[in-house]
Amino acid sequence: MRALANALDTGRIHHAYLFTGTRGVGKTTLARILAKALNCLGVDGNGGITSKPCGVCAACKDIDAGRFVDLLEVDAATNTKVDEMRELLETAQYAPVSGRYKVYIIDEVHMLSKSAFNAMLKTLEEPPGHVEFILATTDPQKLPITVLSRCLQFNLKNLAPALLATHLAHILETEKIPFEPAALDMLGRAGEGSARDALSLLDQAIAYGAGEVKAVQVATMLGVLDQTYLFSLLQQLANGDAKALLAGIAGLGERSVSFELTLKDLAGVLARVALVQSAGADAVEGPDALRIVEIAAQLSSDDVQLFYQIALLGRRDLALAPDEQSGFTMTLLRMLSYKEGAAVNLESAPAVKPISTGISEQMPANAAPSKAIGAVPDVVSYATLSAAPFDGDWPQFVAAQNMSGMAGMLARQCEFKSFDGGVLELSVPDQHKHLAEKPYQEKLKASLAPHFGGNVKLNIKIGGAGDVSLAATEDRARLQSQADAEAAIEADPFIKNLQQDFGAEINRASIRPAQP
Ligand SMILES: [Zn+2]
C-alpha cells in the first residue's frame, strides 16, 4: 500500500486500479479511501490529491455518508446486464459535479457478462481525464486479459489473526466494552483473514456475552457456529445428496476454512454420534445434543464407524492431496460411496404407509403412551454366547463375538462358505465389497485368531445375495419386530378408543418397536 500512497502523494494517478483479495479483506473499503484521497479538499478547503484524506471536508464526509454525487458504486454480482453497464459508462463523459474525479467502484467485477466487459473496455481504452475506475474482485483469473492489462493491480493479503485481534481490541477499547484477550485471539483466527467476518463475529460475541467478550463464551459460540456446517455436511451424507454435499464443500472453500480442522471436528462429532447410538441420547450434552441425536437416528452405526475411519484416514492423507479442498472433497465422497446403500429403510418398506396425522399429536398430553411407542431404539440385541468354537453358524458366531470396528463391519456383512481347518472362505455381497479391502480383512483376521488359530487364512469372495449374513438376519428381525409393534398398536384397546372417540389416525412411520 506504500506504493499506492507514494503514487498519490507524487500525483502519479493511474486511471484504473484493480484490488484483489479474499472476501471481507477490505477491497471496497480501500476503494472508498482511494475515492476520498482523489477528491479530498483538505481541512482548509485548499487541499489536493493526498494519501491522507482529511475526513472532515465536504467531499470526505459525503463519501463516508454514501452521498457523494461523483462516486458511483456498482455491485457487478447484481448488475451484470450490458445495458446497465452502458448506461453507467455513458455518464463517464460528463465532468464531475463537485469532485476532482468521477470515481467508479465496480465490486465483484469478474461477475460482469462478456458484453458488459466489452462496454467497459471501450471506456478503459480511452478514459476521459476526470474518470477513475476502481475494480475489486475475489477472482482476478476470471477477468479478460484486456481488462487486466489496463489496470494497476494491488493484491490485498489476508489479515493475520493477530492483526485482526489487535484491530478488535482497538474497537472494544474505543467502545469501552470489557474483553479477555484470549477471546479476541479466537475471533481473530475465526475471521480467517477477513476483517468483515471478524467484525461480524465480534458483534455476535458481544450480544452472546451480554455486553462482555469472554473467552469461555466465545469458545462456546464459535463451537456452535462450527458445528452448524458440520451438521449440514452430515445431513447431506445421511440424505445421500452428493450435489448438496459438493455445494456445501464449495461454500466452505469460499470461507477458506481449514479442511484439516474440519475433518478433525467431523470425526469428533461422529464419535459423539456413535456414543448416542450405543448408549442413548443421554450420553451427550451441550447445545448441539439434539442435532447429534437427530443424526444418530439417520445413520446406521456401521456408517458412523466407517465415516469416522474415513475422516481419520482422510486427515492423515490430506498432505498428499493436490490441495486441501480436493482431499477433503474426496474424503467426503468416499464416505458417500461407501455408505450402506442397501440398508433396510422402514419408512419405505411396502407394508408401512405413513398416514399424515401423527397419533402423538392427537393424544391427550396426560395419556400414558402405549409401551410400544418408544422413541428411538431399533437395535436388535443378541444374547451374548460364550466364546465357543465356531460351529458353522456364522451370523450367530459373529453376534456372539461382539466384534466392533472394521472387523465387525466386515464380519456382519459376510456369508459363510466353508472352513477346512486352515482357510475360512466367506463372501460379501457386491454392494459391500469395499469392506473386503485389506485393512478390514486384517482386522477381521486378527479378531478371528483366538477361535480359528493364528494361522487361519481368510478368503473373501465378492458376490452372493448376502441374505444369511448377520446384518441381513438383524434386518429381518428388525422388520419382524416392527410388524409386531404395529400389530400391537392396532390391537391396543386404548388406541382403538382414540380412533373411535377422537377420529385419531395411526402414523405408522412413528411406530418403533419397544427395546427388548
Ligand atoms: Zn477531505
Side-chain angles (χ1 to χ4, degrees):
M1 287 307 104
R2 195 174 298 135
L4 188 55
N6 282 342
L8 288 168
D9 286 336
T10 53
R12 282 178 288 111
I13 310 300
H14 205 266
H15 58 81
Y17 292 90
L18 173 64
F19 295 150
T20 61
T22 50
R23 56 179 290 276
V25 78
K27 298 184 294 294
T28 41
T29 307
L30 182 62
R32 282 184 208 125
I33 294 172
L34 180 54
K36 281 194 269 184
L38 292 168
N39 283 302
C40 180
L41 304 168
V43 184
D44 54 4
N46 294 320
I49 296 170
T50 168
S51 65
K52 296 184 185 66
C54 71
V56 295
C57 70
C60 283
K61 277 182 162 172
D62 284 354
I63 289 173
D64 280 336
R67 53 163 191 258
F68 190 66
V69 287
D70 294 315
L71 173 62
L72 295 104
E73 278 196 55
V74 190
D75 182 0
T78 50
N79 298 286
T80 54
K81 291 204 194 85
V82 62
D83 288 347
E84 284 163 11
M85 197 63 205
R86 212 169 267 141
E87 235 166 70
L88 181 80
L89 293 170
E90 267 166 17
T91 65
Q93 56 185 302
Y94 304 111
V97 178
S98 70
R100 228 172 266 126
Y101 285 94
K102 211 170 188 124
V103 181
Y104 293 83
I105 297 179
I106 305 177
D107 198 11
E108 296 302 344
V109 65
H110 65 272
M111 304 282 281
L112 286 179
S113 65
K114 201 170 173 231
S115 39
F117 268 126
N118 286 337
M120 185 171 76
L121 205 55
K122 281 203 188 99
T123 320
L124 271 181
E125 275 165 353
E126 295 168 50
H130 57 264
V131 166
E132 250 331 294
F133 279 102
I134 309 176
L135 313 179
T137 180
T138 47
D139 207 351
Q141 283 91 342
K142 287 192 187 144
L143 294 185
I145 192 80
T146 42
V147 171
L148 277 176
S149 65
R150 285 175 172 82
C151 295
L152 197 57
Q153 190 173 336
F154 290 93
N155 182 32
L156 276 65
K157 286 211 182 69
N158 274 2
L159 299 166
L163 196 65
L164 283 174
T166 313
H167 181 53
L168 299 181
H170 176 71
I171 292 170
L172 291 177
E173 273 157 11
T174 319
E175 304 274 326
K176 297 201 171 30
I177 294 172
F179 65 89
E180 291 175 357
L184 301 193
D185 288 346
M186 276 185 262
L187 291 170
R189 275 196 301 276
E192 308 269 5
S194 158
R196 186 165 58 207
D197 288 357
L199 282 173
S200 102
L201 286 171
L202 180 64
D203 269 344
Q204 292 178 45
I206 294 170
Y208 193 83
E212 300 185 286
V213 184
K214 293 204 153 178
V216 177
Q217 289 168 334
V218 168
T220 316
M221 183 191 91
L222 293 175
V224 171
L225 285 184
D226 278 348
Q227 268 150 13
T228 308
Y229 71 74
L230 291 177
F231 282 118
S232 56
L233 290 178
L234 282 172
Q235 186 62 58
Q236 285 138 11
L237 283 170
N239 296 346
D241 190 345
K243 221 172 172 182
L245 187 68
L246 291 175
I249 296 171
L252 292 183
E254 270 163 31
R255 288 167 50 187
S256 52
V257 301
S258 155
F259 286 107
E260 202 254 335
L261 278 181
T262 305
L263 278 178
K264 180 172 165 242
D265 292 345
L266 198 61
V269 170
L270 285 165
R272 296 173 72 205
V273 170
L275 217 57
V276 168
Q277 287 182 329
S278 58
D282 291 340
V284 289
E285 290 178 347
D288 53 0
L290 197 66
R291 299 221 61 185
I292 300 260
V293 174
E294 280 173 12
I295 294 289
Q298 293 179 60
L299 287 171
S300 75
S301 55
D302 280 4
D303 280 343
V304 173
Q305 294 291 338
L306 184 68
F307 289 2
Y308 178 80
Q309 198 67 30
I310 293 176
L312 295 190
L313 293 176
R315 192 174 165 224
R316 188 195 66 188
D317 294 341
L318 209 54
L320 303 175
D323 59 72
E324 273 210 352
Q325 185 164 345
S326 313
F328 184 81
T329 308
M330 289 306 284
T331 303
L332 265 68
L333 287 178
R334 193 174 166 87
M335 290 179 185
L336 198 62
S337 64
Y338 280 10
K339 184 169 166 280
E340 267 186 37
V344 172
N345 183 347
L346 291 178
E347 269 76 10
S348 65
V352 188
K353 283 205 185 99
I355 300 167
S356 59
T357 321
I359 189 165
S360 48
E361 297 158 22
Q362 302 266 341
M363 262 205 281
N366 57 354
S370 166
K371 204 183 158 205
I373 317 180
V376 188
D378 60 350
V379 182
V380 182
S381 73
Y382 276 73
T384 307
L385 306 178
S386 62
F390 180 59
D391 65 353
D393 186 342
W394 178 256
Q396 196 184 34
F397 172 78
V398 174
Q401 296 323 309
N402 210 2
M403 277 180 233
S404 59
M406 295 162 85
M409 289 161 63
L410 172 55
R412 284 169 48 82
Q413 299 294 350
C414 277
E415 288 181 295
F416 173 69
K417 290 288 162 201
S418 67
F419 179 56
D420 64 1
V423 180
L424 175 64
E425 202 175 293
L426 301 168
S427 73
V428 65
D430 193 57
Q431 73 263 33
H432 297 299
K433 65 177 178 215
H434 61 277
L435 292 172
E437 281 178 8
K438 207 177 168 201
Y440 290 85
Q441 290 210 26
E442 276 170 1
K443 295 272 191 218
L444 180 58
K445 205 176 142 187
S447 60
L448 290 176
H451 306 273
F452 292 82
N455 294 324
V456 67
K457 285 208 169 67
L458 267 184
N459 180 9
I460 299 184
K461 297 208 157 91
I462 312 291
D467 50 4
V468 288
S469 67
L470 174 60
T473 314
E474 284 183 353
D475 282 342
R476 277 194 298 273
R478 208 166 9 218
L479 274 179
Q480 185 56 50
S481 70
Q482 175 72 19
D484 291 348
E486 285 173 25
I489 291 275
E490 274 164 13
D492 190 309
F494 174 71
I495 303 283
K496 282 193 168 150
N497 280 345
L498 284 179
Q499 286 176 311
Q500 276 161 17
D501 300 346
F502 298 100
E505 291 179 331
I506 296 176
N507 178 357
R508 283 167 181 271
S510 72
I511 299 176
R512 294 284 182 278
Q515 214 165 5

